[in-house]
Amino acid sequence: MPGTCVIGLQWGDEAKGKLVDLLTADFDWVVRYQGGANAGHTVVVGEDTYKLHHIPSGILSTEAKNLITPGVVLNPPTILKEIESLTSRNIRVAENLLISDRVHLVLPWHLEEDRILNKAVVDGENIGTTLRGIGPCYRDKVGRTYAVRVGDMYRPDFREKIERTTAAKQNLLGSIDPSYALQLNADEIYQEYSGYAEKLKPHVADTTAMLLDAVDADARILFEGAQGALLDIDHGTFPFVTSSNSSGVGVAAGSGVPPRCITRVIGVIKAYSTRVGGGPFPTEQDNETGQHIRDLGNEYGTTTGRPRRCGWFDAVAVRYTARLSGVDMLSLMMLDVLSELEEIQICVAYEINGQRVTDFPSHPDDLRQAKPIYETLAGWQTDVTKIDRAEDLPENAIAYMNRISELVGRPVGVASVGPDRAQTMFLDEELAQTYGNSASSR
Ligand code: IMP
């Protein structure tokens, strides 16, 4: 039963969208199963660039059905804009996009709560969320009392649900911020969301039933993770995380497909590290090197435009997330960004309280204290963006790739040297057979 997952192994923005777009050709279903409009997936196809927040990156290439399943939180105006924009560019969204009726809705009060609470200092820092209402929406899902799901928009008591919840949320917002002055208008919210309901209706379906049928029929399913495993609510750098299970552990829960259907996990990593928002980041380079990586990697958020914090590759963190997510192979992205550097560092362990540590710490204070222990490798100082066979990469780039693989304990199955589909090499034999040695023919 060929279920493949694509999971980010760092703090998000590992260029998962590019890989999903490439792999889709061999799949019948592409599934988004957690997160919401906090995600930003950029896919470059020839001259065209697509920026997606909600819709799976699989929408661009094939006839595959793209599903948004129960673990996702949905912002209707954002997805409607995306549908409109893709449709105007002749992408087949009407036929190929389906949204679960179990998905939870992001409502105006979630955005307000996110804005107010994001000012708070938690464990010494701001979380620095994307302000897309993600945490508050998941909080209501878990709390249940004030949750509203996609399917609720089509029920006779929808107006009553909105009225009741608006009143409760008005009180709540006033209690967390005494200066809160905005009056939420239940009637306006009801009208607005009824309009969205009408437009979304052709896409709404019971995706769980569909996927279980697909599993029974031995269909090929690709699961597209959003964010990265270090932002996982249970296993990441809590509290500086997102509010869903963004590591491999979230696939079954968010999609409704049993775990044993997942037969291959591809862990996506950048050749260095980045992080947006607050929280400890042991290998951060808040200096010229960090700025160099930011400039060459265009490391600015797709969703918020914020400059990303940049640093060296952290093998302690990635070894942890690769094991946690059950990764079979790595997809190493953005190798080209390091091409000008004379020397490159890899963090192989931390020093915490005088001890050498190779297990990823569970508490942010320990991670804050962690001093990276680096290994220095020689750079390759050669343009690699036109190379399409791994064996043609400069010797030092191959050595860097091999060292990462050794430290993380997983083979590199894919390497990427630029944003275009053609700038991809498949080192894994099975992938190479399916997709060609390089993607240059695509
Ligand atoms: P939230 O998901 O908006 O609540 O943000 C929580 C944390 O996750 C913040 O540090 C965000 O910057 C980070 N985050 C959320 N989504 C992404 C993403 O797609 N890429 C990178 N970081 C993200």
Side-chain angles (χ1 to χ4, degrees):
M1 206 161 343
T4 294
C5 312
V6 171
I7 307 285
L9 297 185
Q10 294 159 312
W11 281 287
D13 309 313
E14 298 93 351
K16 298 176 289 294
K18 169 179 166 165
L19 187 67
V20 170
D21 167 62
L22 268 172
L23 298 181
T24 302
D26 196 43
F27 288 88
D28 310 308
W29 303 85
V30 182
V31 178
R32 261 290 302 270
Y33 55 88
Q34 46 76 223
N38 48 349
H41 293 164
T42 305
V43 184
V44 179
V45 184
E47 301 290 293
D48 297 320
T49 300
Y50 298 88
K51 288 187 192 294
L52 304 167
H53 298 285
H54 258 318
I55 300 183
S57 310
I59 200 78
L60 299 177
S61 20
T62 67
E63 302 297 301
K65 296 286 179 218
N66 286 259
L67 302 186
I68 295 181
T69 58
V72 171
V73 292
L74 189 82
N75 183 314
T78 305
I79 196 163
L80 284 166
K81 256 190 236 142
E82 243 168 79
I83 292 174
E84 209 176 282
S85 153
L86 289 170
T87 305
S88 73
R89 296 169 81 176
N90 297 321
I91 305 292
R92 292 164 58 101
V93 186
E95 304 83 344
N96 288 343
L97 176 68
L98 293 154
I99 303 166
S100 170
D101 56 350
R102 292 177 169 91
V103 157
H104 283 252
L105 287 177
V106 174
L107 285 139
W109 43 81
H110 294 135
L111 301 172
E112 294 296 302
E113 274 177 61
D114 207 359
R115 193 175 54 73
I116 297 169
L117 290 176
N118 196 41
K119 291 182 196 141
V121 171
V122 188
D123 275 345
E125 261 181 275
N126 284 109
I127 294 177
T129 75
T130 59
L131 299 176
R132 298 300 186 268
I134 305 296
C137 184
Y138 277 114
R139 180 162 48 236
D140 279 339
K141 167 180 166 168
V142 176
R144 293 151 297 156
T145 312
Y146 301 122
V148 186
R149 305 202 294 179
V150 165
D152 293 332
M153 295 194 291
Y154 306 100
R155 299 282 159 171
D157 64 348
F158 182 47
R159 179 190 279 274
E160 189 270 322
K161 202 177 211 38
I162 290 290
E163 282 170 355
R164 182 172 56 81
T165 313
T166 307
K169 289 293 178 175
Q170 188 74 53
N171 288 336
L172 176 90
L173 290 166
S175 72
I176 54 175
D177 177 5
S179 68
Y180 190 76
L182 186 75
Q183 278 300 317
L184 298 170
N185 184 318
D187 191 51
E188 275 174 26
I189 296 171
Y190 169 73
Q191 297 299 342
E192 185 186 338
Y193 276 70
S194 297
Y196 299 145
E198 202 50 41
K199 290 187 182 151
L200 288 172
K201 204 167 182 182
H203 298 282
V204 176
D206 182 349
T207 62
T208 308
M210 284 177 171
L211 271 183
L212 292 176
D213 285 346
V215 166
D216 286 346
D218 237 2
R220 300 160 305 170
I221 309 171
L222 181 62
F223 298 92
E224 175 180 14
Q227 290 85 45
L230 292 170
L231 290 172
D232 187 289
I233 182 77
D234 292 308
H235 307 283
T237 52
F238 192 89
F240 304 99
V241 292
T242 191
S243 300
S244 63
N245 284 118
S246 51
S247 70
V249 307
V251 181
S255 66
V257 160
R260 71 182 175 83
C261 302
I262 298 157
T263 50
R264 178 168 60 184
V265 182
I266 305 180
V268 188
I269 50 174
K270 279 199 264 218
Y272 47 92
S273 306
T274 64
R275 163 158 222 178
V276 215
F281 179 2
T283 63
E284 181 168 16
Q285 297 300 301
D286 191 10
N287 54 27
E288 264 179 32
T289 306
Q291 189 57 44
H292 174 85
I293 293 174
R294 188 174 305 116
D295 291 343
L296 266 72
N298 191 24
E299 293 294 354
Y300 295 89
T302 311
T303 301
T304 59
R306 288 181 290 179
R308 295 180 185 140
R309 299 157 65 191
C310 298
W312 298 120
F313 186 82
D314 184 339
V316 179
V318 173
R319 181 171 172 273
Y320 163 63
T321 52
R323 292 164 76 208
L324 176 73
S325 299
V327 162
D328 297 296
M329 73 177 89
L330 302 169
S331 179
L332 177 63
M333 317 303 278
M334 321 277 281
L335 199 56
D336 53 300
V337 173
L338 302 184
S339 286
E340 289 179 15
L341 297 171
E342 226 171 280
E343 285 186 337
I344 302 173
Q345 316 237 52
I346 303 183
C347 169
V348 296
Y350 303 140
E351 189 193 307
I352 304 176
N353 296 329
Q355 302 283 321
R356 184 186 168 99
V357 172
T358 49
D359 281 334
F360 194 69
S362 57
H363 200 282
D365 288 349
D366 292 336
L367 201 55
R368 247 187 223 114
Q369 276 191 46
K371 280 198 215 114
I373 300 173
Y374 287 116
E375 204 172 276
T376 303
L377 277 76
W380 45 93
Q381 299 189 284
T382 313
D383 179 13
V384 292
T385 55
K386 298 194 178 57
I387 293 177
D388 60 6
R389 293 187 326 160
E391 55 270 37
D392 295 338
L393 283 168
E395 210 177 294
N396 288 352
I398 294 176
Y400 184 66
M401 205 157 74
N402 287 345
R403 189 63 184 131
I404 285 181
S405 165
E406 202 170 74
L407 288 164
V408 174
R410 299 292 188 275
V412 175
V414 186
S416 167
V417 289
D420 201 86
R421 282 178 181 171
Q423 294 169 300
T424 317
M425 292 163 253
F426 292 104
L427 290 80
D428 175 73
E429 250 174 51
E430 203 182 321
L431 289 181
Q433 261 175 23
T434 311
Y435 298 102
N437 188 31
S438 88
S440 48
S441 55
R442 281 168 198 285

